[in-house]
Amino acid sequence: MSNHAPADADPGAFRWDESTLRVQQLFVQHQGRLRAFVLSLTPDFSTADDVMQETFLVVSRKAGEFRPGSNFMAWARRIATFKVLDVIRDRQRAPVRLSDDVVEALAAAAPDDESEAQFAAETNALKQCLEKLAPAARELIRLRYFGEHTPEEIGRRRAQSVNAINVTLSRARGFLRQCLERRLNVEGSHP
């Protein structure tokens, strides 16, 4: 069975050809760095996963537009930026945390290719450290830094004092700082 579309196929239909396979291989090769970039623009991991899937589809569909030898990451990051903007617009029921201008500014200020590997390592380490937090502390971090709720709002929501919320957040940040230092030192010590 051939992966190529027949000659009389719908011209708008997805074509599975050599250029598609080439960009999909590049996508897989750069997936970690691209995911780190997307995570820097999205409020949570679930949204980042959605954006990565949409980006993969667009990259595959537009494979013929990619020029071999040009900067794949720059091309894929631009597509991912548009997908982030689309997802944020589509999620009407969820509060919009970043305006289009902010997302564009963050995308423009994102680290270059050389520092992306370090950024990806830090993002991965932070994700692993967040998973090691106690569920209650992780929920507080999510509410405070991903949900942008004030300690007062969180306290009311959880029927706890602001002082208790601040103490828990302080301990969680301390844990995350130490965890990140350990993980990055271990990863940095390997060749």
Side-chain angles (χ1 to χ4, degrees):
M1 184 170 124
S2 172
N3 289 333
H4 296 276
D8 61 345
D10 176 8
F14 180 76
R15 293 187 56 193
W16 193 264
D17 56 19
E18 192 173 309
S19 62
T20 304
L21 290 175
R22 184 177 53 244
V23 296
Q24 288 178 344
Q25 287 171 341
L26 287 169
F27 186 92
V28 170
Q29 179 183 344
H30 297 282
Q31 187 172 5
R33 292 175 26 207
L34 188 60
R35 181 170 168 69
F37 171 74
V38 169
L39 274 170
S40 73
L41 302 177
T42 56
D44 56 62
F45 295 111
S46 174
T47 301
D49 290 341
D50 292 345
V51 168
M52 286 296 289
Q53 290 174 10
E54 290 293 322
T55 300
F56 179 79
L57 293 174
V58 173
V59 163
S60 297
R61 192 172 52 246
K62 294 188 171 202
E65 297 176 18
F66 178 71
R67 287 176 294 151
S70 62
N71 187 336
F72 176 79
M73 273 301 293
W75 184 65
R77 283 170 41 159
R78 192 69 192 147
I79 291 170
T81 300
F82 285 121
K83 296 315 304 174
V84 168
L85 294 172
D86 287 348
V87 167
I88 288 173
R89 281 189 211 107
D90 290 345
R91 294 193 172 178
Q92 304 263 332
R93 64 180 184 267
V96 176
R97 291 172 178 87
L98 301 174
S99 71
D100 292 358
D101 292 341
V102 172
V103 170
E104 289 282 352
L106 287 171
D112 58 22
D113 287 348
E114 291 179 15
S115 60
E116 284 184 18
Q118 177 64 28
F119 179 74
E122 291 170 356
T123 302
N124 189 42
L126 178 58
K127 180 180 175 186
Q128 291 174 355
C129 290
L130 281 168
E131 291 172 0
K132 288 185 176 263
L133 273 176
R138 188 171 45 239
E139 176 65 11
L140 284 183
I141 291 289
R142 187 189 66 76
L143 289 170
R144 179 69 182 105
Y145 300 107
F146 294 93
E148 299 180 358
H149 295 285
T150 65
E152 292 79 12
E153 292 170 335
I154 298 170
R156 280 193 299 274
R157 187 180 207 167
R158 298 174 56 104
Q160 290 180 296
S161 71
V162 172
N163 188 43
I165 297 298
N166 284 332
V167 167
T168 304
L169 283 171
S170 177
R171 288 179 181 158
R173 285 191 305 265
F175 171 83
L176 290 173
R177 185 179 319 107
Q178 291 176 355
C179 180
L180 276 172
E181 288 172 0
R182 278 193 311 270
R183 286 198 169 275
L184 294 174
N185 284 338
V186 168
E187 290 174 5
S189 65
H190 295 290

